[in-house]
Amino acid sequence: VTVTADYDTGLKGSFDACTITTVSDKIINIRANNYITIVNDLTVNARGVLNIDHEGSLIMFNDLGTITNDGDINVYRSTSTMEQYDYHYWSSPIDYSTNTTPVASVLTDFFASRIYEYNTFNFNDLDNDNFDDEQNDWVNYYSDMKSGTGYAAMTSSPGERNTIFSGKVNNGVISVNVALSNDENGDEDGDEDDWNLLGNPYPSAISADEFITQNSTINGTLYFWTHVDDISIDNPGPDTYNYSVDDYAMYSLAGGVKSESNSAVPTGIIETGLGFFVDAVDAISPGSTVEFNNSMRSKSYANNNSFSASSSSEIIEKANALSGDPSSTERGKGSRIVINAMKNSNQIQIKR
């Protein structure tokens, strides 16, 4: 398909194409709840524009399909209403490897000094107090967002937060290294501690079932922070203000498990821009990876904020905590990890 006139899916509908090429200054708008699917290649020529609105989807089938962006491609994402000190886990649908853009220039509605990456190897708990001994597992992050990697960011103010990812969209196979922690006490009592923060790398939703099935380097459970309850001085934890230990939701091939604070049950669809934790299995070797690919994408997957709304029926992703067996409804029995963010601190800590 060669686009010779402006096209708006909100007016003319979603469609499927073998390839798409824009001409001159023509604009394609993919609106919320609409999609465009492409079998092979996408070319946005100079002065051409492709806008993918929040909850819109661009799906590609061929992992070897090429993306040529000489114009502008923009992916718009919005959170639900956030409260002060809330965190969201982001990932990028854009390939910033050839056009380095500092993360703070992308996540402009979030504190630049409160954007973190998670360093799995740095986690060590020799004194067995359930916290990283050196408190260097969470690291301030300032560089470009890596495809398939998740990042924690604190909102700069309450309300709906908006982000525009601009550049060449990701397509095809995205491989991300996963690591084991440096915790010498790890897994002695069945506690997992090899946490890796990942994220959906595409401008479309992906299937959690497909992701889990195709990756043997993880334990088969995805972990989502729900944060239904507020940060509070009354919540247990290492800092003055802590998040509730009851705000966890999980997803495995057995299905979703809601949090004790009565979040929604995860549906198994992971939206664009959403980060999540996995636990690497002990048997992996250095250089082991997880893989995302186009078989995990489909136009039938709603690319909405199913994990990002603050209510008893929807979920907010702000920080991450892990608790117990994801296939069990008996929450609180088993390992527990809590990410605690002190109200006025640079440090996020993890507790098992």
Side-chain angles (χ1 to χ4, degrees):
V1 174
T2 299
V3 179
T4 58
D6 292 346
Y7 192 95
D8 190 318
T9 63
L11 300 174
K12 301 178 181 180
S14 304
F15 68 91
D16 308 307
C18 183
T19 64
I20 290 182
T21 302
T22 67
V23 173
S24 186
D25 58 352
K26 304 311 175 188
I27 300 173
I28 301 174
N29 290 311
I30 304 177
R31 302 301 187 184
N33 303 312
N34 293 165
Y35 65 83
I36 291 176
T37 66
I38 302 173
V39 175
N40 293 311
D41 306 328
L42 168 66
T43 301
V44 179
N45 285 310
R47 296 191 297 149
V49 179
L50 170 60
N51 293 317
I52 306 170
D53 283 359
H54 177 61
E55 300 187 350
S57 298
L58 174 69
I59 301 103
M60 300 186 70
F61 293 126
N62 188 345
D63 282 329
L64 300 179
T66 60
I67 309 289
T68 302
N69 181 35
D70 294 323
D72 294 297
I73 301 177
N74 303 302
V75 182
Y76 296 81
R77 297 302 297 176
S78 300
T79 70
S80 58
T81 300
M82 299 183 71
E83 298 178 3
Q84 194 70 46
Y85 314 119
D86 282 350
Y87 278 87
H88 187 85
Y89 277 7
W90 286 106
S91 64
S92 175
I94 296 295
D95 177 8
Y96 287 115
S97 64
T98 58
N99 181 21
T100 301
T101 303
V103 62
S105 297
V106 179
L107 304 181
T108 55
D109 277 357
F110 297 79
F111 284 121
S113 62
R114 298 292 192 275
I115 300 173
Y116 299 91
E117 65 175 343
Y118 185 71
N119 188 317
T120 305
F121 183 77
N122 282 359
F123 182 81
N124 191 23
D125 185 23
L126 293 179
D127 59 6
N128 206 31
D129 67 349
N130 296 322
F131 293 91
D132 178 46
D133 293 343
E134 293 77 28
Q135 297 190 2
N136 63 351
D137 48 352
W138 285 99
V139 182
N140 287 98
Y141 192 76
Y142 302 100
S143 188
D144 56 294
M145 300 177 77
K146 310 300 182 186
S147 299
T149 299
Y151 301 91
M154 178 190 278
T155 181
S156 57
S157 62
E160 181 180 283
R161 315 311 290 152
N162 302 298
T163 296
I164 305 173
F165 299 94
S166 298
K168 178 182 174 182
V169 291
N170 288 315
N171 180 55
V173 175
I174 305 290
S175 295
V176 183
N177 288 333
V178 290
L180 299 179
S181 76
N182 194 37
D183 185 12
E184 296 182 13
N185 293 336
D187 299 319
E188 286 184 356
D189 57 358
D191 290 342
E192 301 87 350
D193 61 6
D194 302 311
W195 311 115
N196 290 258
L197 183 53
L198 308 176
N200 178 0
Y202 302 118
S204 63
I206 62 173
S207 164
D209 285 352
E210 288 295 327
F211 177 77
I212 293 168
T213 300
Q214 295 183 39
N215 287 289
S216 61
T217 54
I218 61 176
N219 76 348
T221 303
L222 311 183
Y223 303 88
F224 302 98
W225 169 257
T226 67
H227 197 47
V228 174
D229 295 328
D230 293 332
I231 190 171
S232 172
I233 197 171
D234 296 322
N235 291 331
D239 299 320
T240 303
Y241 289 84
N242 299 281
Y243 292 109
S244 170
V245 297
D246 296 326
D247 288 349
Y248 322 117
M250 303 180 187
Y251 188 85
S252 71
L253 294 179
V257 178
K258 69 179 181 178
S259 69
E260 281 190 352
S261 54
N262 199 33
S263 72
V265 176
T267 63
I269 303 302
I270 305 171
E271 68 198 59
T272 293
L274 183 61
F276 55 91
F277 263 102
V278 300
D279 180 31
V281 297
D282 289 346
I284 68 172
S285 58
S288 293
T289 63
V290 294
E291 179 181 291
F292 299 88
N293 60 65
N294 285 352
S295 71
M296 302 173 187
R297 307 165 71 180
S298 172
K299 64 184 180 183
S300 67
Y301 302 152
N303 197 17
N304 55 30
N305 277 10
S306 58
F307 287 174
S308 301
S310 179
S311 73
S312 61
S313 62
E314 296 177 305
I315 295 175
I316 287 184
E317 296 286 343
K318 284 146 184 166
N320 176 74
L322 322 180
S323 173
D325 179 355
S327 64
S328 171
T329 58
E330 295 182 283
R331 308 298 300 199
K333 295 183 179 180
S335 65
R336 185 183 297 274
I337 289 189
V338 181
I339 293 180
N340 297 287
M342 186 157 59
K343 187 174 181 181
N344 296 308
S345 170
N346 287 324
Q347 183 71 323
I348 301 178
Q349 298 175 311
I350 285 192
K351 175 183 178 181
R352 276 189 298 138

